[in-house]
Amino acid sequence: MNVDTISDFLAEQRDQAPEELQPLVLEFETLWERKLWHQLTNALLEFFNHPGSAPQRLQFYKVFILKFADKINQLKLVDLALKAATQCRDNQERLSFLESVVKKVDNEDSQDAYVFATIAVARVKLDLGDLDGARKDLDTAERILDNFDSVESVVHAAFYDTNANYFQAKSDSGSYYKNALLYLACIDVKSLSVEEQRQRAYNLAIAALVSSSIYNFGELLLHPILDALTIDDRHKWLHQLLFAFNRGDLAAYDLLASHISSDPLLAQHTRQLRQKIYLAALTEAVFRRPPHDRAMSFSTIANETKVHPDEIEHLIMKALSLDLLRGTIDQVDEVAHINWVQPKVLDMKQIENMRQRLQEWDSSVDKLGNWIEGVGQDVWA
């Protein structure tokens, strides 16, 4: 395409652009003629980021950007391509377009861009229901990412987000939870819309509750994304339910249990949820005790967890196998000797309990000191 043709194309696009974007399109020709590729790339990104440019993005990419694609930052080239891809007619056209982008940036010195584009292809395959194809692309991207010393956070964010979507489609709640949190660690949560924050918080909360491998919600409970569940009354119960699990609060769980049927996934895991809250109640009962007083009879555990006495031994064995507790079981005397409990995030009530334990410890140390001083007067003398 010669200079005159480029000028004609830009003139045509300028006339079609919203009035506020027309000066920017006019600037494209000057930057292109002067071969100021960095400035031109940034100007194009500004144009593509404006909602009013949507109808023109695909045409701009195919007719204009591809003419100097090899001269600009390849990661930004892929970013422009992804924004252009939103204007494809359907996912099949989008897939073909993005696969051409992958081939375009598949060079030794632009592997970060190659990974970024490959992840985008995997995302479209997920939308098309091709889970095996998406997994293959994600595995390819992961192998390359593992060899990078450093890479732009936008690439890692795209990988973790798409990987989370894959595991959600596979109903693998534990892996979804891990990757969704890693995605949030790569971005500024405030950049998400309020509705997207709420949806992600909801999905994370459900995944944490139904997963058979997650028994400690600390990382989620401390994350600001969880505040999105408190914005309106519809989802406050889920926020409260997570904290009830964290402190093993059976009374609060029973009060909130009526909401469980409102979510199909939670409703399918009612029995598992009940076992998880029993385990949480057990670990909380152990946690509340000082380290020297963690020999608990089965009857004590039954009273605190509301589990039938015949099931106490199985409950303790389950907690030991999950490494929530460490210790031994005396089956003859029906006593559990616990020497370690998994750390957890503490709410204000739990912190108050810990404060009381520290005060008791301080008092016992003080009494011991007084006793030693009393019985050892002759020695001190």
Side-chain angles (χ1 to χ4, degrees):
M1 181 178 287
N2 58 39
V3 175
D4 290 338
T5 309
I6 285 285
S7 298
D8 292 342
F9 171 77
L10 291 175
E12 179 185 344
Q13 293 300 315
R14 184 177 67 250
D15 292 341
Q16 295 177 11
E19 185 176 351
E20 65 270 24
L21 291 178
Q22 290 181 6
L24 198 55
V25 179
L26 187 62
E27 185 182 357
F28 292 162
E29 185 172 0
T30 303
L31 296 173
W32 179 72
E33 289 175 346
R34 296 176 61 188
K35 296 182 172 55
L36 298 174
W37 307 123
H38 175 70
Q39 292 87 337
L40 178 56
T41 304
N42 289 338
L44 282 164
L45 283 170
E46 183 182 349
F47 178 78
F48 275 46
N49 285 331
H50 193 288
S53 70
Q56 297 173 274
R57 293 172 192 165
L58 201 56
Q59 192 72 0
F60 254 105
Y61 182 86
K62 291 179 177 179
V63 177
F64 183 51
I65 296 173
L66 283 180
K67 297 305 173 183
F68 52 88
D70 296 334
K71 297 179 175 64
I72 66 175
N73 180 290
Q74 297 296 280
L75 195 58
K76 291 183 177 180
L77 173 65
V78 174
D79 192 11
L80 289 166
L82 296 184
K83 291 177 170 62
T86 60
Q87 301 309 302
C88 292
R89 290 191 303 272
D90 52 40
N91 281 328
Q92 201 59 58
E93 181 186 348
R94 188 171 295 111
L95 179 62
S96 298
F97 173 72
L98 290 174
E99 285 177 336
S100 70
V101 176
V102 169
K103 293 177 182 177
K104 182 72 177 174
V105 297
D106 187 9
N107 302 303
E108 187 176 347
D109 58 350
S110 59
Q111 286 296 285
D112 56 345
Y114 173 74
V115 168
F116 197 23
T118 300
I119 294 168
V121 168
R123 185 183 292 272
V124 178
K125 287 181 178 179
L126 283 178
D127 292 338
L128 289 168
D130 181 9
L131 299 187
D132 291 339
R135 184 69 264 162
K136 183 178 178 181
D137 288 334
L138 286 168
D139 288 343
T140 298
E142 186 171 23
R143 283 194 297 270
I144 299 173
L145 278 173
D146 287 342
N147 292 324
F148 284 148
D149 292 330
S150 63
V151 68
E152 293 285 345
S153 59
V154 66
V155 180
H156 269 133
F159 172 76
Y160 290 129
D161 190 30
T162 307
N163 217 26
N165 290 341
Y166 168 82
F167 286 119
Q168 189 174 39
K170 295 286 286 185
S171 299
D172 185 342
S173 298
S175 296
Y176 165 80
Y177 179 84
K178 173 185 174 183
N179 281 273
L181 281 176
L182 286 169
Y183 165 71
L184 292 175
C186 294
I187 66 167
D188 179 1
V189 174
K190 294 179 181 177
S191 67
L192 303 175
S193 68
V194 172
E195 178 56 28
E196 188 173 0
Q197 288 183 44
R198 186 203 61 76
Q199 187 61 53
R200 287 185 179 276
Y202 185 90
N203 290 340
L204 275 164
I206 297 298
L209 290 168
V210 304
S211 172
S212 59
S213 61
I214 301 172
Y215 291 85
N216 189 332
F217 310 149
E219 193 172 359
L220 177 59
L221 297 179
L222 291 173
H223 203 289
I225 193 74
L226 203 60
D227 294 337
L229 292 177
T230 64
I231 293 174
D232 59 55
D233 293 336
R234 290 179 301 160
H235 303 107
K236 283 184 178 178
W237 66 270
L238 187 55
H239 185 274
Q240 295 167 358
L241 186 62
L242 281 174
F243 280 91
F245 267 87
N246 184 62
R247 61 179 182 268
D249 191 335
L250 287 160
Y253 175 83
D254 289 336
L255 287 174
L256 296 166
S258 59
H259 293 281
I260 289 175
S261 60
S262 66
D263 183 271
L265 197 54
L266 286 181
Q268 292 173 22
H269 293 80
T270 303
R271 185 174 180 179
Q272 180 182 320
L273 289 173
R274 176 62 67 172
Q275 184 182 58
K276 287 183 83 167
I277 193 66
Y278 284 155
L279 286 167
L282 172 60
T283 57
E284 179 63 19
V286 175
F287 181 81
R288 283 198 302 265
R289 286 168 167 74
H292 63 270
D293 185 27
R294 287 181 175 172
M296 301 174 64
S297 67
F298 285 12
S299 59
T300 299
I301 294 173
N303 288 334
E304 298 202 18
T305 61
K306 313 305 179 187
V307 176
H308 193 277
D310 293 341
E311 300 177 1
I312 294 300
E313 185 175 352
H314 179 267
L315 179 70
I316 300 169
M317 291 176 64
K318 181 72 173 177
L320 293 172
S321 69
L322 292 168
D323 204 31
L324 302 176
L325 302 174
R326 293 175 190 167
T328 58
I329 302 175
D330 185 334
Q331 294 174 308
V332 176
D333 293 334
E334 295 190 335
V335 175
H337 299 275
I338 308 301
N339 52 46
W340 180 88
V341 59
Q342 186 184 76
K344 61 169 68 179
V345 171
L346 305 181
D347 60 21
M348 292 306 296
K349 183 178 179 181
Q350 291 168 312
I351 291 173
E352 173 61 23
N353 290 335
M354 180 172 283
R355 187 181 72 86
Q356 291 177 1
R357 279 167 46 192
L358 286 171
Q359 288 178 331
E360 290 170 3
W361 174 82
D362 181 66
S363 176
S364 64
V365 170
D366 190 46
K367 290 178 181 177
L368 179 61
N370 291 333
W371 177 82
I372 292 173
E373 184 179 354
V375 300
Q377 289 180 354
D378 294 339
V379 176
W380 305 137

PDB file of all heavy atoms in Angstrom, residues 225-240:
ATOM      1  N   ILE A 225     -11.336  -8.139  47.359  1.00  0.00           N
ATOM      2  CA  ILE A 225     -12.392  -8.532  46.419  1.00  0.00           C
ATOM      3  C   ILE A 225     -13.632  -9.017  47.175  1.00  0.00           C
ATOM      4  O   ILE A 225     -14.765  -8.871  46.701  1.00  0.00           O
ATOM      5  CB  ILE A 225     -11.889  -9.634  45.448  1.00  0.00           C
ATOM      6  CG1 ILE A 225     -12.856  -9.828  44.270  1.00  0.00           C
ATOM      7  CG2 ILE A 225     -11.700 -10.951  46.185  1.00  0.00           C
ATOM      8  CD1 ILE A 225     -12.816  -8.744  43.251  1.00  0.00           C
ATOM      9  N   LEU A 226     -13.424  -9.563  48.367  1.00  0.00           N
ATOM     10  CA  LEU A 226     -14.539 -10.140  49.116  1.00  0.00           C
ATOM     11  C   LEU A 226     -15.533  -9.073  49.580  1.00  0.00           C
ATOM     12  O   LEU A 226     -16.704  -9.373  49.813  1.00  0.00           O
ATOM     13  CB  LEU A 226     -14.006 -10.926  50.319  1.00  0.00           C
ATOM     14  CG  LEU A 226     -14.929 -12.017  50.870  1.00  0.00           C
ATOM     15  CD1 LEU A 226     -15.234 -13.055  49.819  1.00  0.00           C
ATOM     16  CD2 LEU A 226     -14.301 -12.669  52.099  1.00  0.00           C
ATOM     17  N   ASP A 227     -15.077  -7.834  49.691  1.00  0.00           N
ATOM     18  CA  ASP A 227     -15.971  -6.750  50.103  1.00  0.00           C
ATOM     19  C   ASP A 227     -17.101  -6.533  49.105  1.00  0.00           C
ATOM     20  O   ASP A 227     -18.140  -5.964  49.452  1.00  0.00           O
ATOM     21  CB  ASP A 227     -15.186  -5.443  50.268  1.00  0.00           C
ATOM     22  CG  ASP A 227     -14.195  -5.501  51.418  1.00  0.00           C
ATOM     23  OD1 ASP A 227     -14.401  -6.332  52.325  1.00  0.00           O
ATOM     24  OD2 ASP A 227     -13.230  -4.724  51.411  1.00  0.00           O
ATOM     25  N   ALA A 228     -16.901  -6.989  47.858  1.00  0.00           N
ATOM     26  CA  ALA A 228     -17.931  -6.812  46.832  1.00  0.00           C
ATOM     27  C   ALA A 228     -19.208  -7.574  47.173  1.00  0.00           C
ATOM     28  O   ALA A 228     -20.291  -7.226  46.682  1.00  0.00           O
ATOM     29  CB  ALA A 228     -17.395  -7.265  45.468  1.00  0.00           C
ATOM     30  N   LEU A 229     -19.097  -8.598  48.032  1.00  0.00           N
ATOM     31  CA  LEU A 229     -20.283  -9.363  48.420  1.00  0.00           C
ATOM     32  C   LEU A 229     -21.154  -8.613  49.418  1.00  0.00           C
ATOM     33  O   LEU A 229     -22.292  -9.010  49.666  1.00  0.00           O
ATOM     34  CB  LEU A 229     -19.867 -10.705  49.025  1.00  0.00           C
ATOM     35  CG  LEU A 229     -19.217 -11.713  48.081  1.00  0.00           C
ATOM     36  CD1 LEU A 229     -18.807 -12.963  48.846  1.00  0.00           C
ATOM     37  CD2 LEU A 229     -20.154 -12.082  46.933  1.00  0.00           C
ATOM     38  N   THR A 230     -20.615  -7.550  49.992  1.00  0.00           N
ATOM     39  CA  THR A 230     -21.373  -6.809  51.005  1.00  0.00           C
ATOM     40  C   THR A 230     -22.045  -5.561  50.442  1.00  0.00           C
ATOM     41  O   THR A 230     -22.678  -4.815  51.185  1.00  0.00           O
ATOM     42  CB  THR A 230     -20.444  -6.394  52.169  1.00  0.00           C
ATOM     43  OG1 THR A 230     -19.440  -5.486  51.680  1.00  0.00           O
ATOM     44  CG2 THR A 230     -19.744  -7.609  52.766  1.00  0.00           C
ATOM     45  N   ILE A 231     -21.900  -5.341  49.140  1.00  0.00           N
ATOM     46  CA  ILE A 231     -22.449  -4.125  48.527  1.00  0.00           C
ATOM     47  C   ILE A 231     -23.970  -4.106  48.581  1.00  0.00           C
ATOM     48  O   ILE A 231     -24.599  -3.079  48.830  1.00  0.00           O
ATOM     49  CB  ILE A 231     -21.947  -3.983  47.075  1.00  0.00           C
ATOM     50  CG1 ILE A 231     -20.429  -3.733  47.071  1.00  0.00           C
ATOM     51  CG2 ILE A 231     -22.666  -2.837  46.355  1.00  0.00           C
ATOM     52  CD1 ILE A 231     -19.813  -3.715  45.686  1.00  0.00           C
ATOM     53  N   ASP A 232     -24.577  -5.273  48.327  1.00  0.00           N
ATOM     54  CA  ASP A 232     -26.037  -5.340  48.434  1.00  0.00           C
ATOM     55  C   ASP A 232     -26.424  -6.560  49.262  1.00  0.00           C
ATOM     56  O   ASP A 232     -25.612  -7.440  49.549  1.00  0.00           O
ATOM     57  CB  ASP A 232     -26.702  -5.378  47.051  1.00  0.00           C
ATOM     58  CG  ASP A 232     -26.252  -6.557  46.220  1.00  0.00           C
ATOM     59  OD1 ASP A 232     -26.377  -7.698  46.698  1.00  0.00           O
ATOM     60  OD2 ASP A 232     -25.775  -6.361  45.085  1.00  0.00           O
ATOM     61  N   ASP A 233     -27.681  -6.616  49.645  1.00  0.00           N
ATOM     62  CA  ASP A 233     -28.153  -7.660  50.561  1.00  0.00           C
ATOM     63  C   ASP A 233     -28.228  -9.035  49.922  1.00  0.00           C
ATOM     64  O   ASP A 233     -28.316 -10.044  50.641  1.00  0.00           O
ATOM     65  CB  ASP A 233     -29.540  -7.281  51.113  1.00  0.00           C
ATOM     66  CG  ASP A 233     -29.483  -6.058  52.011  1.00  0.00           C
ATOM     67  OD1 ASP A 233     -28.395  -5.793  52.567  1.00  0.00           O
ATOM     68  OD2 ASP A 233     -30.508  -5.365  52.142  1.00  0.00           O
ATOM     69  N   ARG A 234     -28.185  -9.106  48.590  1.00  0.00           N
ATOM     70  CA  ARG A 234     -28.367 -10.400  47.915  1.00  0.00           C
ATOM     71  C   ARG A 234     -27.280 -11.404  48.274  1.00  0.00           C
ATOM     72  O   ARG A 234     -27.533 -12.614  48.303  1.00  0.00           O
ATOM     73  CB  ARG A 234     -28.391 -10.213  46.400  1.00  0.00           C
ATOM     74  CG  ARG A 234     -29.608  -9.505  45.835  1.00  0.00           C
ATOM     75  CD  ARG A 234     -29.473  -9.370  44.338  1.00  0.00           C
ATOM     76  NE  ARG A 234     -28.266  -8.627  43.969  1.00  0.00           N
ATOM     77  CZ  ARG A 234     -27.692  -8.688  42.768  1.00  0.00           C
ATOM     78  NH1 ARG A 234     -28.197  -9.476  41.837  1.00  0.00           N
ATOM     79  NH2 ARG A 234     -26.610  -7.967  42.510  1.00  0.00           N
ATOM     80  N   HIS A 235     -26.066 -10.917  48.512  1.00  0.00           N
ATOM     81  CA  HIS A 235     -24.945 -11.842  48.683  1.00  0.00           C
ATOM     82  C   HIS A 235     -24.236 -11.700  50.022  1.00  0.00           C
ATOM     83  O   HIS A 235     -23.192 -12.332  50.222  1.00  0.00           O
ATOM     84  CB  HIS A 235     -23.942 -11.642  47.542  1.00  0.00           C
ATOM     85  CG  HIS A 235     -24.548 -11.809  46.183  1.00  0.00           C
ATOM     86  ND1 HIS A 235     -24.789 -10.743  45.347  1.00  0.00           N
ATOM     87  CD2 HIS A 235     -24.978 -12.913  45.540  1.00  0.00           C
ATOM     88  CE1 HIS A 235     -25.338 -11.192  44.222  1.00  0.00           C
ATOM     89  NE2 HIS A 235     -25.474 -12.486  44.321  1.00  0.00           N
ATOM     90  N   LYS A 236     -24.800 -10.921  50.924  1.00  0.00           N
ATOM     91  CA  LYS A 236     -24.158 -10.781  52.234  1.00  0.00           C
ATOM     92  C   LYS A 236     -24.096 -12.116  52.969  1.00  0.00           C
ATOM     93  O   LYS A 236     -23.162 -12.381  53.730  1.00  0.00           O
ATOM     94  CB  LYS A 236     -24.915  -9.747  53.077  1.00  0.00           C
ATOM     95  CG  LYS A 236     -24.628  -8.305  52.683  1.00  0.00           C
ATOM     96  CD  LYS A 236     -25.338  -7.328  53.609  1.00  0.00           C
ATOM     97  CE  LYS A 236     -25.018  -5.884  53.236  1.00  0.00           C
ATOM     98  NZ  LYS A 236     -25.734  -4.920  54.109  1.00  0.00           N
ATOM     99  N   TRP A 237     -25.091 -12.962  52.745  1.00  0.00           N
ATOM    100  CA  TRP A 237     -25.130 -14.254  53.431  1.00  0.00           C
ATOM    101  C   TRP A 237     -23.910 -15.103  53.083  1.00  0.00           C
ATOM    102  O   TRP A 237     -23.378 -15.828  53.950  1.00  0.00           O
ATOM    103  CB  TRP A 237     -26.408 -15.015  53.054  1.00  0.00           C
ATOM    104  CG  TRP A 237     -26.479 -15.441  51.610  1.00  0.00           C
ATOM    105  CD1 TRP A 237     -27.010 -14.733  50.581  1.00  0.00           C
ATOM    106  CD2 TRP A 237     -25.973 -16.659  51.046  1.00  0.00           C
ATOM    107  NE1 TRP A 237     -26.876 -15.428  49.400  1.00  0.00           N
ATOM    108  CE2 TRP A 237     -26.251 -16.615  49.658  1.00  0.00           C
ATOM    109  CE3 TRP A 237     -25.333 -17.781  51.562  1.00  0.00           C
ATOM    110  CZ2 TRP A 237     -25.897 -17.655  48.797  1.00  0.00           C
ATOM    111  CZ3 TRP A 237     -24.973 -18.824  50.697  1.00  0.00           C
ATOM    112  CH2 TRP A 237     -25.266 -18.742  49.334  1.00  0.00           C
ATOM    113  N   LEU A 238     -23.426 -14.987  51.836  1.00  0.00           N
ATOM    114  CA  LEU A 238     -22.265 -15.774  51.417  1.00  0.00           C
ATOM    115  C   LEU A 238     -21.000 -15.282  52.107  1.00  0.00           C
ATOM    116  O   LEU A 238     -20.146 -16.071  52.518  1.00  0.00           O
ATOM    117  CB  LEU A 238     -22.109 -15.694  49.891  1.00  0.00           C
ATOM    118  CG  LEU A 238     -21.051 -16.591  49.256  1.00  0.00           C
ATOM    119  CD1 LEU A 238     -21.272 -18.049  49.632  1.00  0.00           C
ATOM    120  CD2 LEU A 238     -21.073 -16.434  47.735  1.00  0.00           C
ATOM    121  N   HIS A 239     -20.904 -13.960  52.251  1.00  0.00           N
ATOM    122  CA  HIS A 239     -19.790 -13.362  52.996  1.00  0.00           C
ATOM    123  C   HIS A 239     -19.805 -13.862  54.443  1.00  0.00           C
ATOM    124  O   HIS A 239     -18.766 -14.267  55.003  1.00  0.00           O
ATOM    125  CB  HIS A 239     -19.922 -11.836  52.938  1.00  0.00           C
ATOM    126  CG  HIS A 239     -18.799 -11.082  53.550  1.00  0.00           C
ATOM    127  ND1 HIS A 239     -18.767 -10.788  54.901  1.00  0.00           N
ATOM    128  CD2 HIS A 239     -17.659 -10.555  53.029  1.00  0.00           C
ATOM    129  CE1 HIS A 239     -17.668 -10.119  55.177  1.00  0.00           C
ATOM    130  NE2 HIS A 239     -16.968  -9.953  54.066  1.00  0.00           N
ATOM    131  N   GLN A 240     -20.984 -13.862  55.050  1.00  0.00           N
ATOM    132  CA  GLN A 240     -21.124 -14.315  56.434  1.00  0.00           C
ATOM    133  C   GLN A 240     -20.840 -15.811  56.563  1.00  0.00           C
ATOM    134  O   GLN A 240     -20.252 -16.263  57.563  1.00  0.00           O
ATOM    135  CB  GLN A 240     -22.536 -13.998  56.940  1.00  0.00           C
ATOM    136  CG  GLN A 240     -22.834 -12.508  57.019  1.00  0.00           C
ATOM    137  CD  GLN A 240     -24.315 -12.218  57.201  1.00  0.00           C
ATOM    138  OE1 GLN A 240     -25.142 -13.127  57.235  1.00  0.00           O
ATOM    139  NE2 GLN A 240     -24.666 -10.937  57.311  1.00  0.00           N
TER     140      GLN A 240
END
